[in-house]
Amino acid sequence: MPNYDLPNPAPEPLRQVQLFVNSTDREHRSEWMPGWLEEHGLAASDFDRAIRLREAFRALLHCNNVGGEIPEGVAVVNEAARAVVAQLEGGEVKLVGTDALGEVTAIALTSMLDGTWRRLKVCRKCEWAFYDASKNRSGSWCSMQLCGNRQKTRAYRARKRSTA
């Protein structure tokens, strides 16, 4: 996975879910999941399971942008959640026998409960996950300098063409 600074990074630990969802660059057709798996101690045989989970999270994040029906990805997330085992140790919740995909799932589920999940979204343009820190949760682009600027420039040019 490339070393990069995320535009609009989520706070920890939700940032780990953001990094997981961003383990692909759809705009440039780059797949970084093999590197993510290696970095987190998982085998290449976990690739298909990781891709299914990543795309299920992405589908749920689309709902954070526009609302609407709950996607089919919920079944994939629920399946991953059943594999997460947690127990209380010394007043803290510890994951037991859970791999990195289980940890990401536990973080996502916890953020759904504490309300921070609603601020994690996918860009309308490039589908990059970003954290919407706006007061009214109206953000729709990963970065105003990148996708927001491109979208606004296209709209401006289209308006100019239609009036010319």
Side-chain angles (χ1 to χ4, degrees), residues 88-103:
L88 211 57
E89 286 182 16
E92 290 187 26
V93 175
K94 301 283 184 181
L95 297 178
V96 180
T98 302
D99 65 12
L101 294 176
E103 290 174 14

Side-chain angles (χ1 to χ4, degrees), residues 21 57-69 71 116-134 136-143 147:
V21 172
F57 283 146
R58 186 182 309 283
L60 290 173
L61 294 177
H62 272 291
C63 289
N64 288 348
N65 286 14
V66 295
E69 280 188 38
T116 56
W117 178 261
R118 304 273 305 149
R119 291 195 175 272
L120 193 60
K121 299 179 177 183
V122 278
C123 181
R124 291 189 314 194
K125 179 74 180 125
C126 69
E127 295 198 357
W128 196 255
F130 70 96
Y131 188 76
D132 181 2
S134 68
N136 63 358
R137 289 188 241 168
S138 63
S140 51
W141 297 300
C142 62
S143 165
C147 291

Side-chain angles (χ1 to χ4, degrees), residues 10 17 19 21-22 63 67 74-75 77 91 102 143-144:
V17 178
L19 289 167
V21 172
N22 288 343
C63 289
V74 168
V77 174
S143 165
M144 184 52 103

Side-chain angles (χ1 to χ4, degrees), residues 16-17 20 36 53 57 95 99-109:
Q16 297 310 309
V17 178
F20 177 67
W36 189 93
L53 184 59
F57 283 146
L95 297 178
D99 65 12
L101 294 176
E103 290 174 14
V104 167
T105 302
I107 292 167
L109 294 173

